[in-house]
Amino acid sequence: MRLDELPPRENFLDWYNEIVEKAGLTDKRYPIKGMNVWTPYGWKIMQSIDSLIREEFDSTGHDEVNFPTLIPETEFAKEAEHIKGFGKDVYWVTHAGENELDVKLLLRPTSETAMYPMFSLWIRSHSDLPLKIYQIVSTFRYETKQTRAFIRVREIHFFEAHTAHRDYEDAERQIREDLDILDRLMKKLCIPYMVHRRPDWDKFAGAYYSLGIDTLMEGKILQIGSIHQYKDNFAIPYDIQYEDEKGEHHYVHQTTFGMSERLLGAIIGIHGDDHGLILPPAIAPYQVVIVPIPKKGHQEDVYKACRELEDMLKKEGFRVHFDDRDIRPGNKYYQWEIKGVPVRIELGMKDMENNSVMLFRRDTMEKESVPVNSLVQKIRDTLKDIERNLYERAAERMKGRITEIEDFSDFDKDNAPDIVKTMWCGNDKCGQKLEEITDMNVLGTDEPEEHATGKCPICGKGAEKYIYLARTY
Amino acid sequence: MRLDELPPRENFLDWYNEIVEKAGLTDKRYPIKGMNVWTPYGWKIMQSIDSLIREEFDSTGHDEVNFPTLIPETEFAKEAEHIKGFGKDVYWVTHAGENELDVKLLLRPTSETAMYPMFSLWIRSHSDLPLKIYQIVSTFRYETKQTRAFIRVREIHFFEAHTAHRDYEDAERQIREDLDILDRLMKKLCIPYMVHRRPDWDKFAGAYYSLGIDTLMEGKILQIGSIHQYKDNFAIPYDIQYEDEKGEHHYVHQTTFGMSERLLGAIIGIHGDDHGLILPPAIAPYQVVIVPIPKKGHQEDVYKACRELEDMLKKEGFRVHFDDRDIRPGNKYYQWEIKGVPVRIELGMKDMENNSVMLFRRDTMEKESVPVNSLVQKIRDTLKDIERNLYERAAERMKGRITEIEDFSDFDKDNAPDIVKTMWCGNDKCGQKLEEITDMNVLGTDEPEEHATGKCPICGKGAEKYIYLARTY
C-alpha cells in the first residue's frame, strides 16, 4: 500500500476527510477547531466558483459591495426572530486593546443586520428600487455539532445577495430570477439540485418563507444554498421605506440568496471516487495536464513537444499545466487523478511518431489516441461532455433515490430510501409526525409545486401537495 | 452653488473626506466608527488593484492562500516583541454563544502568528523552500487616533506576502524581488514612492529590519506598504526548521511584504483635484465613458452611433460605459469627472457629420476632436499617456519637496519643507533629536543608500549616510 493511499470511497466520511487534504484543498490542523486554512489548490477552485457567481450576479444587475465584518449588538437585536435564531451561534467581541467595549460587537453570522441600517439610509424613493447588491465574505458561526471541511465550519466562505423591492410581487420576480441564476450555476458546477419550500418550523430566522436548495450526497441531503422572501419583516424594524410616485411611504419587500463553500463540499462528495476528486471543467484550476512519457535518449524531444503543446493549448484558452517534474509518469497520473484534473494528455515518442497524443478523461477513466490536428476540438468537446456527464449521472442517481410512500405503517428506518416523497395535508403536526416515524427531516414541498390529489398518510385528510423527507447533514 | 458641490482641494482634509463619498467609494455612516462600507464603485477599484497585485505575485511564484480570521491568544503570545507591538491594538473575542471561551481569540491585526504555526508543519526539508505565499484579507486594528477612509480604518483591506528561506541571503534576494514588484505596481497605480529603511525604534514588531514604502500626499508622508526582513526572529519561537542536504537542521529566514487599501487612499489624495478623482487607467472601472449630445429630432441616430461605438471599443478591450440616462450632458460630465474616468467621449450630430468625436482627458481637462477611424489608437495612446503623466507629475512634485539641510540652528518648524534630508551619524539619539527639532518623524535612510560623506548636524561626528524626515499620516 502506498503511503499516501486514499481510503476507498465506500467509507465515505473517512474518504471525504482525507481527500480534502490529500488533494491540497485545505489544512485542518489550524489551532482552532472548525477554522481551516485554504491551501493554494483549494483556494483557486473556490475563487473559480466565486467568479462564476460574480458573472451571474453582475449580469443580472447586482452590484458587489463589501460590508464590515463586525455588527454592533444594538443593530443585531432589532429583529426579534432573527436574534432568536442566531443568538446562540455568534462570536462576541467584548474587548479592544485593554478596554471593555461599551457596545459589544459580533462577528457576522450573515449580514442582514449589518446591511439593513444602511438600506434605510440608501433607499428614499421608488427610483432607488429595486436595490440589488451582493458580497462574498467570511461569516462566522459557533457550530457545536461536529465540524467537517467545507460542510460545517466555523468560519464560512459565504456568498449573499440582498435585494429590496417596492412590493411583494417584485420581490417574487426576484426570486424567479434567482432560480434561473441557480439553474445556470448548478449546471456549470455539475451539481444536481432540488428546491424545497421549507416548512414554517424550519424557515430562516426572520423570513416570510424560505427555499432550501438541496442536493444528495452519499445518502443524505446537503443544503447548498437558500433563497428567502422576507416580505417587510426586516423593513419594519430597520425602517426601510420609500416614497412612491404619489408621495406615499411604504416599506420595501426584501429577498436574499445565500450560498457558501458547501458548493465545493458538494462537488467533492458527489463526484469524487476511489481515485480522488473529479472537478467540473468550469472550475478546475487546470483543465488539462500534460505528462511526458520519457524515453532514454529522447527526453529533450518529448519535453519540447510537450512545451509546444502547452503553448498551443494555452493560446486556445484552456487552463493547461505541463508537468515536467523528474518523477515517474505513473506517479504523476496518480497525483493529478487525486486532484481531479478533467483531462490528461500523455505524450511519448511513439505518439510523436504517429502525430497523435493519448487523451485520458477523469470522469470515465477512458483513454484514447487523438491525432494532434484534431486535438483542440477534441478537448473542447471532451470538457463539454465531462460537464454534461457529471451533471447527468449525478442527477439520475439523485432521482433514483426518491421513493414515494403512501402508507407508513410498516416503514423500516433501517431500510429506508434516501429521499421519501409523500402526500401532505399541510398541517405542521402531520409533518412533524412524519419526521418522527422516518427519523428524517422534512425538506419541505417541492418548488414549483407538483399538482396532485390524494390523502395525508398521517391524518387521512385530503392532500394536494407532496412533502419530501431525508436525512440531512 | 450646486447641492452636491465639492469643497476645493485647497481644504485638503475636507475635500478628501467628501470626495470618497461623493465619488461612491465608501459610506462612512456604518454604525461602528472606522469601519466603513465599500460601495460598488470603490469596491470595483479596490478589486482592480487586487488583480494587479495578484498578477505580480502569481507570476513570481507566490501561491495565494486564505487563513482564518481568528488567532488563539496562545499562538499570538509566542513572539514577545510582536505582542508588545500589537497587543494594545487588537479586538478580542471572549465569548461564543452563551459560553466564555477557554482560550481567547483575537481578530488578526496581521497574520504572522496565524501562519507560522502552520509553516512549522509545512516546512520539513530544504526542498520545501523557498515557501512563498500571500493572501488578501481583512485585518483589524483598534485605532485610537482619528480615523479616515482608506488611510486609517479599523477594518483594513490588506495584502500580505509571507516567505520562508533557507538563509539570510535568500531572504535578501526575496526582498530585491519585492522591490522590483513594487516598482512595476507603483507605475501602474501612478504612485511615486520612496523606500526608507526605518530606524530601529520604528521597525515592525519582531522584524530584523523594516523598509517603509512612502509617498507624499499633500505635504505629509503616507506609508503605503512595508517589506520586512525577519531573519529567524519568528522561526525560533514558532520552531520553523528544515533539514538540509547533509541532514542538519536550521531555522528558516523569513520576509513579509504588506500593502493595504491605503494604496487607494494615496491615489485619491495624490491625483484628485477640484473636479474630483483622477483614476489611473489600469484600475478605472470605466476607462472610457461615452456621453451623447442629443439634438431634437435626432436623438435616436445619436444614441445608435454611441451604442455602436461602445460595442466597438469593448471589442478592442477597453472598459467602456455608454451613459444613456435622460439628464443633461453637462450633468453627466460633472458626475464622471468626480468619479475620475480617464477619458470621456462626446458624440453629437455635428461630430457624426464630420465622422469624428470629441475626446476629453481627465488629467489635463483637454478636449480635442478625433476622427473615428483613428479613435482606437488615439484612446490607447491617451490612456498610456495619462498613466505616464499622472506618475511623472506626482513624482516631480514629490522630488521638489525634498530639501537638504545641513544646519538646523535656525530651523523654522512653521516654514519647513515637506521632506527634510540630512546627513546622519547613525546614532539613534541624534535621530531622535532631529525629530524634536523638526517636529517630524524620521522616515529612515534611503534604500538603496546614496553614498556620501559629511557631518552629523547634531553631534558633528562624521556621517556616511542621509536620513529623511517628514510629517506623517
Side-chain angles (χ1 to χ4, degrees), chain A residues 27-32 35-41 43-44 47 54 63-72 75 87-99 101 105 107-108 113-115 117-118 121-122 133 136 138 140 142 144 155 157, chain B residues 27-32 35-41 43-44 47 54 63-72 75 87-99 101 105 107-108 113-115 117-118 121-122 133 136 138 140 142 144 155 157:
Chain A
D27 194 321
K28 291 177 283 183
R29 293 173 294 175
Y30 190 77
I32 304 177
M35 296 191 176
N36 303 329
V37 178
W38 288 89
T39 43
Y41 196 66
W43 189 239
K44 266 212 185 78
Q47 284 185 305
R54 284 196 168 97
D63 283 319
E64 186 170 353
V65 297
N66 194 268
F67 270 73
T69 305
L70 296 172
I71 302 171
E75 295 298 334
K88 287 188 179 158
D89 295 340
V90 299
Y91 288 93
W92 289 103
V93 175
T94 58
H95 292 72
E98 286 152 355
N99 305 320
L101 295 172
L105 307 173
L107 288 166
R108 62 177 159 231
T113 64
M115 289 182 171
M118 302 306 290
L121 299 170
W122 292 345
I133 64 171
I136 298 179
S138 278
F140 301 82
Y142 180 59
T144 47
E155 176 166 358
H157 185 73
Chain B
D27 194 321
K28 293 176 283 183
R29 292 173 294 175
Y30 190 77
I32 303 177
M35 297 192 176
N36 304 328
V37 178
W38 287 90
T39 43
Y41 195 66
W43 189 239
K44 266 211 184 78
Q47 284 184 304
R54 284 196 169 97
D63 282 320
E64 186 170 352
V65 297
N66 195 268
F67 271 72
T69 305
L70 295 173
I71 302 171
E75 295 299 333
K88 287 188 178 161
D89 296 340
V90 300
Y91 287 93
W92 289 103
V93 174
T94 57
H95 291 72
E98 285 152 357
N99 305 322
L101 296 172
L105 306 172
L107 288 166
R108 63 176 158 232
T113 63
M115 289 182 172
M118 302 306 290
L121 300 170
W122 291 346
I133 63 171
I136 299 178
S138 278
F140 300 83
Y142 180 59
T144 47
E155 175 167 356
H157 185 72

Side-chain angles (χ1 to χ4, degrees), chain A residues 135-405:
Chain A
Q135 66 180 7
I136 298 179
V137 294
S138 278
T139 58
F140 301 82
R141 297 194 192 165
Y142 180 59
E143 287 288 349
T144 47
K145 290 191 206 170
Q146 197 185 351
T147 57
R148 190 169 310 283
F150 312 124
I151 300 295
R152 177 165 282 113
V153 286
R154 290 173 163 182
E155 176 166 358
I156 308 160
H157 185 73
F158 193 62
F159 162 86
E160 48 183 329
H162 293 252
T163 66
H165 306 266
R166 52 183 302 150
D167 52 28
Y168 184 77
E169 285 65 41
D170 198 56
E172 286 290 292
R173 266 191 292 277
Q174 182 58 49
I175 288 173
R176 287 194 295 276
E177 181 179 86
D178 290 345
L179 291 170
D180 289 342
I181 290 173
L182 175 70
D183 192 63
R184 289 192 296 267
L185 265 177
M186 293 302 110
K187 295 268 163 62
K188 286 179 196 157
L189 298 177
C190 305
I191 304 176
Y193 67 98
M194 299 171 285
V195 178
H196 293 117
R197 188 180 289 240
R198 294 277 184 258
D200 270 355
W201 69 85
D202 193 28
K203 65 188 187 185
F204 182 79
Y208 176 63
Y209 72 77
S210 290
L211 301 180
I213 303 159
D214 296 326
T215 192
L216 184 70
M217 183 169 98
E218 203 61 26
K220 284 165 70 178
I221 285 289
L222 179 68
Q223 176 176 325
I224 47 172
S226 51
I227 296 170
H228 307 293
Q229 165 66 271
Y230 290 160
K231 243 181 132 181
D232 52 8
N233 290 356
F234 284 92
I236 295 171
Y238 288 93
D239 194 26
I240 314 175
Q241 295 188 47
Y242 70 95
E243 191 178 284
D244 72 10
E245 292 82 346
K246 294 177 202 147
E248 282 165 19
H249 288 79
H250 309 275
Y251 287 110
V252 299
H253 285 66
Q254 292 173 269
T255 81
T256 55
F257 187 167
M259 294 182 285
S260 76
E261 60 185 88
R262 276 192 167 191
L263 292 170
L264 176 53
I267 290 165
I268 298 164
I270 291 173
H271 301 301
D273 63 16
D274 288 347
H275 301 273
L277 299 182
I278 305 180
L279 291 180
I283 58 157
Y286 300 129
Q287 298 169 312
V288 180
V289 65
I290 302 172
V291 177
I293 315 296
K295 200 181 159 188
K296 260 200 181 138
H298 295 283
Q299 164 129 349
E300 269 184 41
D301 296 338
V302 173
Y303 273 55
K304 187 161 163 274
C306 287
R307 229 168 260 124
E308 283 168 10
L309 196 58
E310 184 192 20
D311 286 348
M312 191 261 279
L313 294 177
K314 272 189 182 161
K315 274 192 200 118
E316 292 289 336
F318 299 112
R319 296 191 290 276
V320 192
H321 175 67
F322 167 38
D323 185 350
D324 62 358
R325 288 175 301 166
D326 190 18
I327 57 172
R328 294 214 326 277
N331 224 325
K332 294 180 185 176
Y333 298 171
Y334 178 78
Q335 291 176 12
W336 293 116
E337 282 168 19
I338 287 186
K339 285 183 176 280
V341 176
V343 166
R344 179 174 78 228
I345 288 173
E346 303 160 16
L347 181 57
M349 276 308 289
K350 223 179 65 191
D351 305 299
M352 281 174 69
E353 282 158 15
N354 296 333
N355 231 337
S356 68
V357 302
M358 287 303 289
L359 185 146
F360 166 88
R361 54 184 279 181
R362 178 66 183 85
D363 60 335
T364 58
M365 303 287 279
E366 288 166 357
K367 251 188 201 190
E368 66 176 301
S369 177
V370 177
V372 172
N373 60 20
S374 62
L375 183 61
V376 168
Q377 192 55 44
K378 179 69 185 179
I379 294 177
R380 230 185 282 288
D381 292 345
T382 304
L383 292 176
K384 215 176 280 176
D385 199 58
I386 292 174
E387 183 171 299
R388 183 203 52 74
N389 180 44
L390 287 179
Y391 185 86
E392 283 180 8
R393 77 185 186 189
E396 255 171 59
R397 198 165 50 220
M398 185 169 81
K399 231 167 124 191
R401 304 287 160 83
I402 304 173
T403 300
E404 187 172 344
I405 295 181

